[in-house]
Amino acid sequence: MEFFKIHRDIPFMRHALVFNLVSLVTFLAAIFFLFSRGLHLSVEFTGGTLMEVSYSQPADLTKVREVVSGLGYTDVQVQNFGSARDVLIRLPAQKGVSSAEQSDKLMAALKGADASAEKRRIEYVGPQVGDELAADGLKALAFVVAGIMLYLAIRFEWKFAVAAIIANLHDVIIILGFFAFFQWEFSLPVLAAVLAVLGYSVNESVVIFDRIRENFRRYRKMNTVEIINNAITSTISRTIITHGCTQLMVLSMLLFGGATLHYFALALTIGILFGIYSSVFVAAAIAMWLGIQREDLIKGTVKKETDPSDPNAGAAV
């Protein structure tokens, strides 16, 4: 299925150097903010106090967040737990303040806003738990990167594997750079979104790489630049359909999902937008500069060349 068909290839690779210089500047800026500002880690990573509060009536989460914010806390997780009357609150650790002091101060403020507020339980999440979660997250990221490289090296060629990983890490670092610059809370759901973006971005790269390999077999007189331009142009309709539908769902979570899904959806939104960009202008361009050629991808006989202007030359994606 396709919305439209472009009969003339768009010269994407003509401006590959300019687009990759922009990507490099953005990438370096993201790294700078990561080192200078760092990530605003959530309670899962830093340790803190977890409280469960019960109300006689369905809790007004907006009002609870206002009470918590009034005590000087920012980006605190407030969500329903089990039922609409039970609220789970995660407070970050404070130097010189014990977990009991934090909870007592917060309960006094909550009772002042609603006398029916009742403390159910308090748990302290120590820094050691946060360290373990951070280590596990890094391990998960490393396994994803290694798996993607192995898959692409086996299915295509090592040059494509290197190009795809550089492009995907480009997406991940830029997402982290946004979170470092704006000091948005980096939590486990955000980490899950980053890992999802890795898989999502590599899927777009694989589609383009597969079309490049197919074009090398079909158009024997085309050079590498023309092959890549044709591959990207012929998959534009598929890209618009796939990413447009996905982005609509993610935007619905961002706009209507509330505070719980806000940063998760925000990370996915940034990742999807940069994922499209990196697959077209970063991954394909790096593969071109690494010297990808027909002999790297074709084993055995080559099909007879097809005229690219022929409407029946290739099936629509």
Side-chain angles (χ1 to χ4, degrees):
M1 184 178 74
E2 58 182 358
F3 286 142
F4 53 85
K5 187 174 183 64
I6 301 175
H7 297 282
R8 185 175 181 179
D9 294 343
I10 302 173
F12 290 101
M13 294 299 101
R14 179 186 300 173
H15 309 289
L17 181 59
V18 174
F19 284 115
N20 277 268
L21 286 176
V22 173
S23 293
L24 179 61
V25 171
T26 308
F27 181 83
L28 293 177
I31 292 178
F32 171 77
F33 290 124
L34 279 172
F35 280 97
S36 61
R37 296 192 177 190
L39 292 172
H40 174 43
L41 298 174
S42 67
V43 174
E44 293 100 337
F45 295 101
T46 62
T49 303
L50 184 147
M51 292 179 56
E52 183 182 345
V53 181
S54 178
Y55 289 87
S56 59
Q57 300 293 330
D60 185 347
L61 296 184
T62 302
K63 188 175 180 180
V64 174
R65 291 190 182 98
E66 291 176 355
V67 173
V68 176
S69 300
L71 297 178
Y73 296 103
T74 58
D75 296 330
V76 173
Q77 294 184 19
V78 178
Q79 63 191 74
N80 287 117
F81 179 75
S83 69
R85 294 183 300 175
D86 297 321
V87 178
L88 196 65
I89 305 172
R90 288 184 171 91
L91 300 175
Q94 290 183 325
K95 292 184 179 180
V97 181
S98 66
S99 179
E101 291 173 342
Q102 275 187 304
S103 61
D104 291 342
K105 187 176 180 180
L106 178 57
M107 278 307 304
L110 292 175
K111 280 186 173 293
D114 189 336
S116 68
E118 180 182 349
K119 180 169 58 180
R120 287 293 182 88
R121 67 184 173 103
I122 299 176
E123 294 181 4
Y124 177 69
V125 182
Q128 182 61 36
V129 176
D131 291 342
E132 291 177 2
L133 289 173
D136 290 343
L138 290 175
K139 288 178 183 178
L141 182 60
F143 279 122
V144 169
V145 170
I148 289 173
M149 288 196 69
L150 181 62
Y151 165 74
L152 291 178
I154 293 174
R155 178 171 177 180
F156 295 101
E157 215 266 348
W158 70 267
K159 296 173 185 177
F160 278 153
V162 172
I165 288 303
I166 293 176
N168 291 346
L169 291 181
H170 158 276
D171 300 339
V172 171
I173 295 299
I174 287 179
I175 293 173
L176 298 179
F178 269 96
F179 274 78
F181 178 77
F182 292 104
Q183 286 297 287
W184 295 329
E185 186 183 55
F186 189 85
S187 60
L188 283 179
V190 175
L191 176 60
V194 171
L195 295 177
V197 166
L198 266 177
Y200 192 84
S201 181
V202 77
N203 177 69
E204 180 66 21
S205 299
V206 166
V207 170
I208 295 176
F209 290 166
D210 192 57
R211 184 54 63 91
I212 291 174
R213 180 173 59 181
E214 180 182 336
N215 284 353
F216 269 127
R217 294 174 176 172
R218 178 177 292 144
Y219 310 129
R220 298 182 62 185
K221 293 183 180 180
M222 280 187 176
N223 59 36
T224 301
V225 173
E226 293 171 334
I227 288 289
I228 294 176
N229 287 334
N230 179 269
I232 298 173
T233 302
S234 61
T235 57
I236 282 181
S237 182
R238 176 260 176 203
T239 299
I240 292 175
I241 295 172
T242 304
H243 295 283
C245 293
T246 306
Q247 192 62 68
L248 284 175
M249 295 184 63
V250 173
L251 283 176
S252 67
M253 288 192 293
L254 180 64
L255 298 175
F256 308 111
T260 303
L261 294 176
H262 180 75
Y263 291 123
F264 171 77
L266 190 59
L268 285 177
T269 298
I270 298 171
I272 290 172
L273 294 178
F274 277 94
I276 301 171
Y277 176 88
S278 66
S279 297
V280 174
F281 295 110
V282 179
I286 291 176
M288 176 183 69
W289 291 329
L290 286 175
I292 194 71
Q293 54 188 339
R294 191 182 314 275
E295 291 74 12
D296 295 328
L297 298 173
I298 299 177
K299 296 178 177 61
T301 59
V302 181
K303 294 181 180 180
K304 184 179 179 180
E305 181 182 5
T306 307
D307 183 359
S309 63
D310 183 1
N312 298 318
V317 176

